[in-house]
Amino acid sequence: MKICMIGTGYVGLVSGVCFSDLGNDVICVDKDLNKIEKLKKGIIPIYEPGLEELSKKNYIAGKLKFSTNISDSVSKSDIVFICVGTPTKKNSNAADLGQIFNVVKNIRKSISKFKIIITKSTVPVTTGDKIEKILLKKKPKKLFSVVSNPEFLREGEAIRDFYYPDRIVIGTENNNTNKILKNLYSPLISKGAKYFNTSRKAAELIKYASNAFLATKITFINEIANLCEKIGINAEDISIGMGLDERIGSRFLRPGPAYGGSCFPKDTKAIINTAAKFNTSLSLIKNVVKSNQKRTVILLKRISKILNHKFKNKKICFLGVTFKANTDDMRETSSLKMISFLSKKGSKINYFDPTGKKNEFNKLKNVFCSKDIKTALIKADLVIIHTEWNDFKSLNFKLLIKKKNFIIYDMRNLYSPIKMKKDKIKYFGIGK
Ligand SMILES: NC(=O)c1ccc[n+]([C@@H]2O[C@H](COP(=O)([O-])OP(=O)(O)OC[C@H]3O[C@@H](n4cnc5c(N)ncnc54)[C@H](O)[C@@H]3O)[C@@H](O)[C@H]2O)c1
């Protein structure tokens, strides 16, 4: 099939590359010329394991193209996926749909034969109706079908998630469109992916409800971990004990820092905003958002206690700054608030992240990016394990830190407190 992906970010690029790998002709479009130029040269602007090889292979084979020209790309395609950003509006909980509507107006100019126009971006309920209205202003209904096909891939696992998704959700009431999309996804369905056709509005809500549920699960175990710390129980035992119940499941049930990333924070807010529009209060999700905002404050208080409330000139090493492993995405990661707070208090921060230096810290005083783990650790008073990269899972801290009495605060519970005690290392975990 001839496909156009508009927005070549984490979602559009991965999906575009993988659709081309399945044998489709794909054009990935972005307004960012620099990004498109890099992609044409085989340089992948994001960190996503396996993406570079797959992109190069299909680009060379001519199945995958990159362009900044929306009109030309849309007119050459039968299926158009919209994959642009839907960030939170300033001073509001609502999703900003500016990028979506802008793209739709551009697509409208290039519709001269039937096209399926799909939102893969996460969009609030009724966005599909609004898109349809915009298109109808200039084009007849028979020339397009607007569908919601929310994306569930996880950064860092995105290629695997594309090929082996738990489910493919298609929101359309048009049988012919549904048939075409079922055919597009048939290579994945034949490998076991469940295909679920529903109404467009239901598909839009499924995405938000799923993300809000996962954010709730993380927040739930983070609060239970707070209780465990007070009672003196290991929260990991609670996670295991609860997770063994198949109705609950063990995933997203490990305590740690506040949830972050480009999806959960904005999507929990947006679903609250949608509910308010329909005169409904999602009180549970509202409290999840509040609890998650408080989470960073709680962890910073713990750091303060660990340091005996003395921050000035303390050398603090952050291992990992992204919101999770295997991504370079810094959006809404809890390290932003933590490092900013600690730097203002006069601490000296050295961080190491496998995806390199982060511009987000450029304006902060005394925050340095180290080129490797060894340099980041060497003079640390306190080591904060912030992100669960494999690189941080079996370090010999005694050998690496050239200092006595250093402390480790392991926010991902990667190490055994018993082993740490044996090695005479002062160690704190989460919910322990
Ligand atoms: N990142 C994830 O893990 C993930 C997972 C599932 C769903 N989503 C959703 O998918 C959507 C995209 O997320 P993302 O993380 O890929 O965003 P992103 O910011 O990485 O990428 C968006 C891209 O769209 C481009 N763009 C914006 N306006 C454009 C225009 N008018 N024409 C052409 N290109 C344009 C931007 O330049 C950018 O490259 C969001 O709604 C997000 O909530 C993201």
Side-chain angles (χ1 to χ4, degrees), residues 5-14 29-33 35-36 45-46 48 67-68 70 82-87 96-104 106 120-123 150-156 158 207-208 211 261-264 266-267 323-324 327 329 331:
M5 311 296 301
I6 305 180
T8 309
Y10 288 88
V11 166
L13 182 58
V14 171
V29 186
D30 207 285
K31 64 175 183 183
D32 184 338
L33 178 65
K35 205 178 240 187
I36 293 299
I46 55 168
E48 186 60 52
S67 169
T68 50
I70 288 202
I82 304 175
C83 310
V84 295
T86 49
D96 183 345
L97 297 177
Q99 293 180 41
I100 298 274
F101 295 143
N102 188 3
V103 162
V104 171
N106 275 315
K120 216 172 216 336
S121 297
T122 304
V123 291
E151 182 53 63
F152 299 101
L153 61 77
R154 296 161 298 169
E155 289 172 17
K207 175 65 190 177
Y208 281 102
N211 274 359
S262 65
C263 294
F264 290 178
K266 80 172 173 63
D267 294 347
F323 78 101
K324 66 172 180 177
T327 182
D329 199 340
R331 288 176 281 189

Side-chain angles (χ1 to χ4, degrees), residues 146-248:
V146 177
V147 178
S148 164
N149 170 211
E151 182 53 63
F152 299 101
L153 61 77
R154 296 161 298 169
E155 289 172 17
E157 318 259 358
I159 293 177
R160 191 213 153 272
D161 285 350
F162 180 90
Y163 285 110
Y164 302 98
D166 290 332
R167 79 289 209 197
I168 296 154
V169 175
I170 297 293
T172 178
E173 277 115 292
N174 181 317
N175 287 339
N176 191 40
T177 299
N178 184 39
K179 228 162 102 186
I180 295 170
L181 293 180
K182 200 165 183 182
N183 186 29
L184 173 70
Y185 280 111
S186 61
L188 310 184
I189 299 167
S190 65
K191 278 199 240 157
K194 292 186 185 81
Y195 184 90
F196 179 48
N197 173 220
T198 181
S199 69
R200 191 166 64 206
K201 285 196 190 84
E204 289 168 340
L205 190 56
I206 284 168
K207 175 65 190 177
Y208 281 102
S210 300
N211 274 359
F213 187 83
L214 292 174
T216 304
K217 209 171 167 191
I218 294 172
T219 307
F220 179 88
I221 200 65
N222 280 344
E223 289 202 350
I224 294 292
N226 292 341
L227 178 62
C228 287
E229 285 179 12
K230 291 277 158 64
I231 309 176
I233 301 172
N234 186 346
E236 282 184 312
D237 289 351
I238 309 301
S239 301
I240 295 168
M242 282 180 70
L244 287 171
D245 184 332
E246 282 181 6
R247 292 168 303 176
I248 298 172

Side-chain angles (χ1 to χ4, degrees), residues 292-358:
N292 193 59
Q293 281 161 353
K294 227 169 119 189
R295 180 87 189 136
T296 305
V297 179
I298 289 174
L299 297 194
L300 280 170
K301 276 191 182 153
R302 188 92 201 272
I303 295 174
S304 175
K305 211 169 156 192
I306 290 171
L307 290 174
N308 268 329
H309 313 290
K310 289 177 189 132
F311 295 96
K312 193 110 188 119
N313 293 325
K314 286 283 184 220
K315 294 193 170 64
I316 303 179
C317 164
F318 266 75
L319 292 181
V321 288
T322 53
F323 78 101
K324 66 172 180 177
N326 294 319
T327 182
D328 56 352
D329 199 340
M330 286 293 286
R331 288 176 281 189
E332 301 279 338
T333 172
S334 62
S335 71
L336 292 170
K337 281 189 187 146
M338 286 188 193
I339 292 182
S340 158
F341 175 87
L342 295 168
S343 116
K344 279 182 194 136
K345 286 278 185 190
S347 301
K348 295 192 165 134
I349 320 286
N350 260 307
Y351 71 88
F352 170 75
D353 193 279
T355 59
K357 188 175 182 293
K358 304 297 171 201

